[in-house]
Amino acid sequence: MTAFTLSPEEAQVQATARAFLRDFVDNSYLNEQEESATGFEPLRWVRMRDLGWSSVHLPDRVGGADGSLVDAALITRECGRAAYASPLLQTLRAATTMSALGADKTYDDVLSRIGDGEIATLVAPPDRAVVADVAAGGFVLSGRPVVVEWLAQADWVVLVLPTVGQDCIGAVVPADFLGDRAVEVPSIDNERIVRLDLDGLELPEDVVRSTNVSATEAAYALARADLLRASAMVGGAQDVVERTAKYALERHQFGQPLGRFQAVRHHLARMVIAADGAQLLCDDALDRAQPGADETAIAQAAVFAAGRAYVDVVLTAAQVHGGVGTTVEHILHHHFRRAKAMQLRSGQRSARLRELHHALVVRKEGVEGSLW
């Protein structure tokens, strides 16, 4: 595994994102936005659009910056470091999925709208909670309600769903197409979520852009999208480690900094190992995630490792902080809640472990997509 060697352009993307967020994001701001009606500032969204963030990795033909998935991941990593909540991650995930499934320009009209600043979200339950079946004039959906981020604020909803026959479909609908099937519910973190009940919904043929997408193609498209969430979790873990190390040097107990106690040093060392390991795996997966590749396994491993590292790091940080970080006057409480919420949105851990077992153990030598 290798970490990024950033090109000058990628370093500039990262530096710009970090400087932009540092200019206004602090604990008071995050608390205020969490309590607001929209959950984010629309004017900040316009600014991020002007910076090209929501379309940084999209091709020039749809108004994008012709960047790579790495560029988008660097931006989500900085948003994760700042614990900044907005529809950006979901918009980037939806655009990444459409771009991967629509090499034939099937989704270019919606991608162009995203390039103009419109918001999108992605409905792709990781555990086959919703299934599409062929019906007269389109498809009919069935299954359990699912949780979707930022749907109430979105202009477009991208659906990637398995069919009864094990293939997948890709569809795009305006957000108001779903009507009262989407109900806003409280989230444990500062992202906004809805409970979406798709059981019985009929998708007409004109909104289903991709049919007979193989399970392999769909899995890789979604894995690329999920790498953006993994990168956000890596960024969050890195920020928590840095804040905790600083606190251990500033906070004195028995006449010396906390960091001089061996037990605290062990805690900090474990946090660094967890965060660095997640970053290495995530960077390696992003490096392999070239268009047309089949690197689903390592991408799934990166998402799993990032989720586990983020949760482990914030739990240890709470110990080092003596519980201070779990209260609203310290920014750590945002990381504390976001870590678990983001991990849960990646699906059931048992299912992810089975997938990793299949990739690591039940693999064939020399097959593209094997881990190492």
Side-chain angles (χ1 to χ4, degrees):
M1 294 183 291
T2 55
F4 285 144
T5 299
L6 298 180
S7 67
E9 292 77 15
E10 291 167 345
Q12 183 63 37
V13 168
Q14 185 180 51
T16 301
R18 188 171 299 187
F20 174 78
L21 294 165
R22 187 172 52 219
D23 189 45
F24 65 95
V25 176
D26 58 18
N27 186 48
S28 297
Y29 177 84
L30 294 175
N31 289 343
E32 180 183 329
Q33 291 307 308
E34 187 171 4
E35 296 298 325
S36 69
T38 57
F40 75 112
E41 275 189 288
L43 288 177
R44 298 284 182 190
W45 177 262
V46 173
R47 180 66 179 134
M48 290 192 290
R49 180 205 62 189
D50 293 344
L51 288 169
W53 286 9
S54 59
S55 58
V56 64
H57 61 323
L58 298 182
D60 179 67
R61 70 173 188 273
V62 296
D66 252 344
S68 66
L69 190 64
V70 172
D71 293 317
L74 290 173
I75 292 172
T76 63
R77 187 165 300 180
E78 293 307 315
C79 291
R81 285 180 66 91
Y84 179 64
S86 80
L88 181 65
L89 176 59
Q90 278 299 296
T91 299
L92 288 170
R93 291 183 71 232
T96 299
T97 304
M98 286 189 287
S99 186
L101 294 179
D104 56 354
K105 305 180 182 179
T106 299
Y107 298 88
D108 274 13
D109 58 326
V110 180
L111 291 174
S112 296
R113 304 286 287 266
I114 290 176
D116 291 335
E118 294 191 359
I119 296 170
T121 191
L122 176 64
V123 178
D127 299 306
R128 293 183 64 89
V130 180
V131 177
D133 198 5
V134 178
F139 289 83
V140 61
L141 309 184
S142 61
R144 306 188 303 273
V146 295
V147 170
V148 184
E149 298 155 82
W150 296 101
L151 192 152
Q153 293 76 19
D155 301 291
W156 298 96
V157 180
V158 179
L159 302 102
V160 180
L161 302 171
T163 64
V164 173
Q166 301 298 314
D167 286 334
C168 292
I169 62 167
V172 181
V173 297
D176 57 11
F177 176 85
L178 299 174
D180 57 3
R181 289 177 174 275
V183 178
E184 289 193 75
V185 293
S187 173
I188 62 172
D189 67 349
N190 57 352
E191 305 282 354
R192 294 301 168 95
I193 60 173
V194 301
R195 179 180 182 273
L196 178 62
D197 186 356
L198 294 172
D199 192 47
L201 177 68
E202 296 181 3
L203 287 178
E205 287 180 344
D206 60 334
V207 304
V208 180
R209 305 288 185 95
S210 306
T211 58
N212 299 322
V213 178
S214 73
T216 301
E217 291 174 320
Y220 184 56
L222 295 174
R224 287 171 59 84
D226 287 344
L227 274 177
L228 300 177
R229 174 179 284 154
S231 192
M233 292 191 285
V234 167
Q238 290 173 332
D239 184 68
V240 172
V241 170
E242 292 168 12
R243 288 180 181 279
T244 307
K246 183 180 179 183
Y247 179 82
L249 292 174
E250 293 175 344
R251 174 71 173 171
H252 283 63
Q253 196 76 19
F254 304 112
Q256 56 184 327
L258 283 177
R260 288 192 179 177
F261 293 101
Q262 191 72 10
V264 176
R265 290 185 180 187
H266 287 171
H267 279 324
L268 293 173
R270 285 202 304 273
M271 293 169 68
V272 170
I273 291 169
D276 283 0
Q279 183 199 341
L280 286 170
L281 190 51
C282 185
D283 287 0
D284 201 15
L286 284 165
D287 194 44
R288 298 190 193 196
Q290 302 301 318
D294 180 13
E295 295 288 356
T296 303
I298 189 172
Q300 291 173 335
V303 175
F304 185 87
R308 180 168 180 172
Y310 197 10
V311 170
D312 288 349
V313 163
V314 294
L315 289 175
T316 308
Q319 279 188 282
V320 176
H321 281 77
V324 172
T326 60
T327 51
V328 296
E329 66 268 17
H330 194 289
I331 196 171
L332 191 57
H333 81 99
H334 286 288
H335 284 300
F336 195 84
R337 291 180 287 125
R338 284 169 62 86
K340 193 61 186 176
M342 295 183 86
Q343 185 190 44
L344 290 172
R345 288 172 190 142
S346 300
Q348 297 178 10
R349 294 184 67 195
S350 58
R352 303 292 81 78
L353 282 171
R354 278 196 298 273
E355 291 169 356
L356 292 179
H357 169 77
H358 182 80
L360 286 165
V361 181
V362 192
R363 68 187 175 95
K364 297 178 180 178
E365 294 294 336
V367 174
E368 187 181 15
S370 298
L371 287 181
W372 297 284

